[in-house]
Amino acid sequence: MSQHGLGHYWKTHYADHTFKGVYRWNAFDIYLLVPYFIVMVILAFYGVHRYQLVWLYYRNRRNEAKSNEPPSRFPEEELPFVTIQLPIFNEQFVIDRLMEACCKLDYPRDRFEIQLLDDSTDETVEVASAMVARFAAGTLGLGPQPVHYLHRTNRYGYKAGALEEGLKTAKGELVAIFDADFVPPPQWIRQVVHHFAEPKVGMVQTRWTHLNRNYSFLTQVEAILLDGHFVLEHGGRSRAGVFFNFNGTAGMWRRAAIDEAGGWEHDTLTEDTDLSYRAQLKGWKFKYLQDVECPAELPIEMTAFKTQQARWAKGLIQVGMKSMPRILKSDISWHQKLEAWYHLTANISYPLMIVLSTLLMPAMIIRSWQGPVQMLLIDLPLFMASTMSVSTFYLVSQKELFPKTWYKTFLYVPFLMSLGVGLTITNTKAVLEALVGHKTAFARTPKYAVKKKGEVSQAKKYRKRLGIIPWIELAIGCYFAATVWYAFSTENYFTVPFLLLFVLGYWYTGILSIFQGLFERRGSQGEELHEKPYPVGI
């Protein structure tokens, strides 16, 4: 036991200096390690920023009450007129649920209207128009509802164009927006509208919750990812008084703020973030209500989830390239400018992850000659800043939302980190397209009103094609599997858990995408496959 125990391993691998001085630096090592450490340092800066968001969230907790409670309220007879905009595109499986929820909102019927903004090109057109006629006449025990159907055939500007078109006939001084898969609760408008009694409030965002959180392991991981965004990113930024963005749905705008900011523009894939920064630069105040929930449906398929994430990654880089010069030249505080920089450039980490993936094995071979001191003094702090910050970020968000059961999130942490790694290929492609100015259509994520296993027969209607990216992900996963084997063969066990995250991430996203693609091809013979562009949706 003394020859094979932990003490023996430590002495023979880290305390034995027999070969000390044999290794010498050379130019090849420097050319590999310099870019490796540059990438690690940049990723570490973004990791440290996650810690900062957690710190801002708790440091400014006293501001929470100010955010949730409006300073004053409208008298019942002076409630402002609200226009509810529902942009849809080929959403036949969820629009009835959305329309019913909006018609049941607790608000005076003479003080609001509903616009169903339909850009559909399939049978959704007939379904939607007939549904609007039913609700306008009165149905489901409801009286006649103030609903209007607006159908476009050119889809100019995609979702932003549909919202802009609706504003031409909108009567409301306030505008609420819900995407097709959302189900606003009856009290939603009353929880939000009174915050606009404060004249400079231009937008109020509420927190997304998840109708199908427990549908699958994938949706549970997706829910945790979104919870981190809505609790710590939105919560930390809004409490600290820096800029944050409207999420495209489950929020309400003041019409004057939209107009003063220049209206909806469609030169980016995240028109909501673009308008948010333009409005805040004009001096409009944004509020985030963490305690006001609006449930929605999560993507149930890996391909749909990857499409969603790629659109967000590309759109934020586009907004950054468009807005950062104006932000840096503005007279807002240095802290606001820095936070805007971190927010709009965060997705640059995906191309950096590709560089890191390429250099990881040769860097590990070189580092294996240098002993444990460098690892403890250099690699460990960088690893803590760039990687451990991710787990801390999402654990804290779950603790805030689920104080009695948050510890279960520990089981998901490796998969959260792996899924982030697995998105690297698709998101890198999206980021590079944004950097070179390559325009693509607004790719919406299909939704099916699916909450339980087995309710997937209609899913094949809007599935994506397979493509080559999942096969690339599998190949990269195999490369990292070889890296794991090399780490074992050289007894470099400390790096194995980190490398396994890469293997799991690339194989998980690749295999799920491939199997869903195979199911699509086998299960949809003779049926129409809907491809990009998908202009509207989450």
Side-chain angles (χ1 to χ4, degrees):
M1 289 295 291
S2 63
Q3 292 182 351
H4 301 285
L6 182 61
H8 175 75
Y9 176 84
W10 180 264
K11 290 178 181 179
T12 56
H13 288 76
Y14 297 107
D16 186 356
H17 301 291
T18 303
F19 298 100
K20 185 177 181 180
V22 172
Y23 173 76
R24 293 289 185 272
W25 285 82
N26 56 57
F28 177 78
D29 295 353
I30 294 174
Y31 291 147
L32 276 175
L33 291 179
V34 167
Y36 171 79
F37 281 117
I38 289 175
V39 170
M40 285 293 288
V41 168
I42 295 174
L43 291 175
F45 270 109
Y46 284 100
V48 170
H49 176 250
R50 294 190 194 96
Y51 288 123
Q52 183 189 21
L53 286 174
V54 175
W55 178 72
L56 289 174
Y57 179 82
Y58 284 112
R59 178 177 180 266
N60 299 289
R61 195 159 197 167
R62 62 184 181 276
N63 295 333
E64 180 182 14
K66 298 179 182 178
S67 297
N68 289 329
E69 185 62 31
S72 60
R73 292 178 174 270
F74 294 106
E76 185 70 17
E77 65 278 6
E78 297 179 11
L79 287 171
F81 198 97
V82 177
T83 295
I84 301 173
Q85 293 189 317
L86 312 176
I88 67 170
F89 173 74
N90 295 352
E91 310 273 11
Q92 58 177 307
F93 302 121
V94 292
I95 54 174
D96 56 340
R97 182 180 65 186
L98 169 68
M99 182 61 73
E100 181 179 344
C102 290
C103 288
K104 290 182 177 180
L105 287 168
D106 177 21
Y107 205 69
R109 287 302 176 266
D110 61 342
R111 305 304 300 160
F112 88 108
E113 63 177 351
I114 301 173
Q115 293 183 334
L116 187 61
L117 308 174
D118 187 10
D119 282 1
S120 298
T121 57
D122 65 359
E123 56 268 33
T124 303
V125 175
E126 291 75 24
V127 173
S129 58
M131 181 186 62
V132 168
R134 288 200 313 273
F135 278 99
T139 185
L140 299 176
L142 300 171
Q145 301 296 307
V147 295
H148 310 284
Y149 180 70
L150 289 81
H151 180 249
R152 299 193 310 162
T153 57
N154 60 10
R155 302 188 301 171
Y156 174 75
Y158 305 115
K159 179 180 177 179
L163 294 171
E164 189 69 27
E165 187 69 22
L167 286 179
K168 294 179 181 178
T169 56
K171 303 176 184 177
E173 59 183 286
L174 303 178
V175 181
I177 301 172
F178 299 104
D179 280 337
D181 55 301
F182 278 71
V183 186
Q187 70 276 16
W188 190 90
I189 292 185
R190 289 190 179 272
Q191 289 176 313
V192 173
V193 71
H194 294 288
H195 290 273
F196 289 92
E198 191 176 352
K200 288 305 294 179
V201 170
M203 191 280 299
V204 175
Q205 175 69 52
T206 61
R207 179 168 61 88
W208 300 1
T209 54
H210 319 293
L211 292 167
N212 57 338
R213 184 186 192 104
N214 297 319
Y215 174 83
S216 67
F217 187 81
L218 175 62
T219 57
Q220 289 172 324
V221 174
E222 291 172 2
I224 296 172
L225 291 171
L226 281 172
D227 288 343
H229 168 72
F230 277 95
V231 174
L232 293 178
E233 288 194 60
H234 271 5
R237 290 185 178 121
S238 64
R239 291 180 182 185
V242 298
F243 288 2
F244 69 97
N245 63 293
F246 169 57
N247 289 103
T249 178
M252 184 180 290
W253 280 86
R254 191 185 298 273
R255 172 68 182 270
I258 298 177
D259 294 339
E260 187 178 344
W264 293 102
E265 297 179 0
H266 50 86
D267 52 348
T268 71
L269 291 180
T270 48
E271 71 293 321
D272 42 21
T273 302
D274 175 32
L275 179 60
S276 297
Y277 273 87
R278 286 188 279 118
Q280 288 171 106
L281 285 172
K282 290 289 186 180
W284 288 99
K285 179 182 176 182
F286 282 20
K287 299 189 76 172
Y288 171 59
L289 308 182
Q290 183 168 304
D291 293 336
V292 179
E293 302 176 356
C294 190
E297 185 179 325
L298 293 161
I300 62 173
E301 299 175 318
M302 179 60 73
T303 48
F305 176 64
K306 288 158 71 173
T307 299
Q308 177 194 70
Q309 296 298 310
R311 188 182 77 241
W312 290 348
K314 182 173 183 176
L316 282 179
I317 294 295
Q318 289 175 325
V319 174
M321 295 173 64
K322 175 181 178 180
S323 300
M324 276 311 302
R326 194 183 316 170
I327 292 170
L328 295 175
K329 293 177 182 177
S330 68
D331 57 358
I332 61 177
S333 70
W334 177 85
H335 182 209
Q336 289 175 311
K337 293 177 182 179
L338 181 62
E339 191 58 43
W341 171 269
Y342 273 119
H343 180 202
L344 297 178
T345 65
N347 290 301
I348 204 70
S349 60
Y350 287 106
L352 295 178
M353 285 289 293
I354 294 291
V355 177
L356 180 65
S357 300
T358 305
L359 296 176
L360 200 55
M361 178 179 276
M364 186 177 67
I365 295 173
I366 295 170
R367 301 284 284 162
S368 66
W369 291 89
Q370 298 178 15
V373 176
Q374 291 89 342
M375 182 182 71
L376 291 174
L377 296 181
I378 301 175
D379 293 284
L380 185 60
L382 292 177
F383 175 77
M384 291 290 291
S386 60
T387 306
M388 296 305 294
S389 63
V390 176
S391 58
T392 302
F393 191 80
Y394 293 109
L395 285 169
V396 171
S397 69
Q398 295 304 290
K399 187 176 185 299
E400 285 295 293
L401 293 179
F402 310 105
K404 295 182 179 180
T405 59
W406 72 274
Y407 58 88
K408 296 180 181 179
T409 310
F410 279 101
L411 299 175
Y412 294 95
V413 165
F415 300 97
L416 284 167
M417 299 170 70
S418 297
L419 186 59
V421 171
L423 293 171
T424 299
I425 302 298
T426 50
N427 285 4
T428 295
K429 177 177 178 289
V431 169
L432 294 179
E433 287 177 348
L435 292 175
V436 300
H438 178 64
K439 300 288 186 180
T440 52
F442 189 116
R444 83 98 159 94
T445 309
K447 300 295 172 60
Y448 313 109
V450 172
K451 295 183 182 179
K452 296 183 295 184
K453 287 288 188 180
E455 301 177 343
V456 294
S457 59
Q458 59 200 25
K460 57 189 176 184
K461 177 67 176 178
Y462 296 124
R463 274 191 176 137
K464 314 290 187 200
R465 288 184 182 267
L466 182 59
I468 195 175
I469 286 181
W471 300 101
I472 297 175
E473 291 166 345
L474 283 186
I476 296 176
C478 292
Y479 165 76
F480 278 103
T483 307
V484 171
W485 173 83
Y486 176 82
F488 269 110
S489 65
T490 58
E491 300 184 352
N492 191 5
Y493 301 125
F494 292 109
T495 62
V496 170
F498 180 67
L499 296 172
L500 284 175
L501 293 177
F502 285 77
V503 178
L504 178 62
Y506 284 116
W507 279 357
Y508 181 59
T509 55
I511 289 173
L512 273 187
S513 300
I514 287 171
F515 272 101
Q516 288 165 3
L518 291 175
F519 293 154
E520 170 195 328
R521 292 179 177 181
R522 293 175 182 173
S524 55
Q525 298 297 325
E527 296 187 23
E528 178 186 4
L529 287 178
H530 293 248
E531 299 179 282
K532 293 181 179 181
Y534 286 119
V536 177
I538 288 300

